[in-house]
Amino acid sequence: MTTFITRYETSGSGVRLAVKDLIDMVGEPTTAGCRAVADRAIPADRDAACLAGARDAGARIVGRTNLHELALGVTGVNEWYGTPVNPLDPRRVPGGSSSGSAVAVATDEADVAYGSDTGGSIRIPAACCGIAGLKTTWGRIPLEGVWPLAPSFDTVGPMARTIEGLVTGMQLLEPGFSVAGVDAAGLRVGRLPIDADPAITAALDRALDDVGWDCRDLALPGWDDATLQAGLLLVVEAWQSDSVFVAEDPDGISDDVRGRLELGGSFDEDTVEAAWRVQGAWKETLERVFADVDLLVTPTLSIFPPHLDDGDDLLVSRCTLPVNLAGVPALSLPVPSGGPLPASMQLIGPAHSEARLLAAGALLEAAVA
């Protein structure tokens, strides 16, 4: 079964939770979906901090989910553990890196799954598999005991079939979390003009009409540069996190992931410093934007999930990286496209606006049902 690296038999009435195999569980080795890591892994001596709420709530962990190796990839293809099968169309990629987590909830093998999102790794597979996923504010969910990729951008968040499932997931990650009392009916929404498949654009148009928000087109200079610089900084930090495995066991890392890691080690100091300056300016830009609107709307992906042979098309069609560069939260949720595959809408909010994003998502979900 390629969805899970390890499965567990469970019983009882607790929430069925799938955990990405980047997150330490006491007594279990963490593989990060990579042979080089798995060959050296020993059982964790404690849970990752983000599992505490789930343990206290009596969640039933059904398994540790597969992923794009080292969480450094958008397709979800894994040379060592196999590729989780996209339940919408087995010919298409499941999306990465949290591929197994997306498939586990899409196939009803889990009620909630934990994923990580550094450059889109929750939202991309959610879009590919027709489910909902929440990228949390950077720093909100503790990362002790989570395998690092790019620490300046790494986040953990929930994936589920519905917004209600995401709320449950947030309550496990952050006991006491609630959307009660959040008014999402009169939101001011800025729509970014992303060039996407016409069927995706039309699907978002219909969904926004159905929910009836005050929505206006909004130009956002810097979006493309934020995408470029976020990608650069992500691989630079990934090289710092995982270069030891390239040095000690290069054959234990697949060619595509090793190539991305090595790219991260190729940039000079001036280039990296310039990218960090772009991050600072980008954060200031979004702060100004969120003084005028409550949410930003884009597609999650500008294309429908590609076939397995064309999976790297996602590298240039994801609308996720600027969110990670700013450290703000974003929700991806499916909306009907009129065809066999749903489109995915991304709602972006200011830092720590997860409750409002989920309340908005619940309204949208009901409007398009």
Side-chain angles (χ1 to χ4, degrees):
M1 185 68 177
T2 55
T3 302
F4 294 95
I5 289 175
T6 308
R7 297 197 64 153
Y8 309 111
E9 294 297 325
T10 65
S11 61
S13 58
V15 172
R16 297 174 301 156
L17 176 65
V19 177
K20 188 175 183 178
D21 201 353
L22 286 179
I23 299 170
D24 284 352
M25 280 176 52
V26 63
E28 298 290 338
T30 297
T31 74
C34 177
R35 194 190 77 185
V37 176
D39 286 350
R40 295 160 174 75
I42 60 174
D45 59 6
R46 62 176 63 88
D47 281 340
C50 64
L51 280 181
R55 296 290 198 191
D56 289 345
R60 295 179 288 146
I61 297 178
V62 298
R64 296 176 62 74
T65 57
N66 198 357
L67 62 146
H68 201 115
E69 185 179 0
L70 294 175
L72 188 57
V74 294
T75 66
V77 171
N78 189 297
E79 179 177 315
W80 314 113
Y81 293 101
T83 300
V85 178
N86 188 326
L88 296 178
D89 184 342
R91 299 169 301 172
R92 298 177 185 269
V93 297
S97 67
S98 305
S99 49
S101 291
V103 172
V105 297
T107 56
D108 197 25
E109 294 184 82
D111 302 308
V112 174
Y114 289 168
S116 66
D117 194 313
T118 304
S121 286
I122 285 173
R123 291 160 289 157
I124 293 167
C128 288
C129 294
I131 64 165
L134 179 66
K135 183 258 181 222
T136 54
T137 301
W138 182 80
R140 179 166 187 157
I141 305 300
L143 295 180
E144 293 87 356
V146 179
W147 188 272
L149 176 62
S152 297
F153 309 106
D154 292 344
T155 61
V156 167
M159 307 172 76
R161 290 180 297 284
T162 63
I163 298 299
E164 182 181 8
L166 292 184
V167 173
T168 297
M170 278 300 294
Q171 291 168 341
L172 296 178
L173 286 166
E174 186 179 280
F177 178 86
S178 175
V179 299
V182 178
D183 182 11
L187 294 176
R188 301 166 301 160
V189 176
R191 175 86 176 271
L192 301 189
I194 303 293
D195 185 18
D197 184 301
I200 292 174
T201 299
L204 269 60
D205 288 343
R206 288 192 297 270
L208 290 169
D209 286 344
D210 288 342
V211 77
W213 289 328
D214 175 17
C215 186
R216 59 188 174 91
D217 288 342
L218 182 68
L220 190 52
W223 177 270
D224 291 340
D225 196 30
T227 296
L228 179 66
Q229 304 306 331
L232 184 156
L233 291 169
L234 193 159
V235 295
V236 166
E237 290 204 344
W239 173 252
Q240 294 166 356
S241 295
D242 292 321
S243 60
V244 62
F245 298 104
V246 177
E248 295 181 358
D249 188 6
D251 293 335
I253 305 174
S254 62
D255 291 344
D256 74 312
V257 172
R258 188 173 64 251
R260 290 193 187 103
L261 288 172
E262 290 171 343
L263 174 64
S266 70
F267 295 103
D268 61 65
E269 184 175 336
D270 289 344
T271 300
V272 175
E273 288 180 356
W276 286 120
R277 287 195 296 273
V278 169
Q279 185 201 39
W282 178 240
K283 286 182 174 182
E284 292 175 358
T285 295
L286 284 191
E287 287 174 3
R288 290 193 296 270
V289 167
F290 286 128
D292 294 328
V293 300
D294 300 307
L295 299 177
L296 295 173
V297 172
T298 74
T300 304
L301 303 174
S302 62
I303 62 173
F304 290 102
H307 289 98
L308 289 160
D309 289 343
D310 299 317
D312 281 345
D313 289 352
L314 291 174
L315 288 168
V316 294
S317 60
R318 53 181 166 168
C319 304
T320 54
L321 280 166
V323 175
N324 297 86
L325 191 66
V328 297
L331 166 67
S332 290
L333 71 166
V335 295
S337 71
L341 299 171
S344 179
M345 181 182 290
Q346 178 176 231
L347 303 180
I348 307 165
H352 297 284
S353 64
E354 284 87 344
R356 186 165 62 189
L357 285 173
L358 290 172
L363 285 181
L364 190 70
E365 186 178 67
V368 302

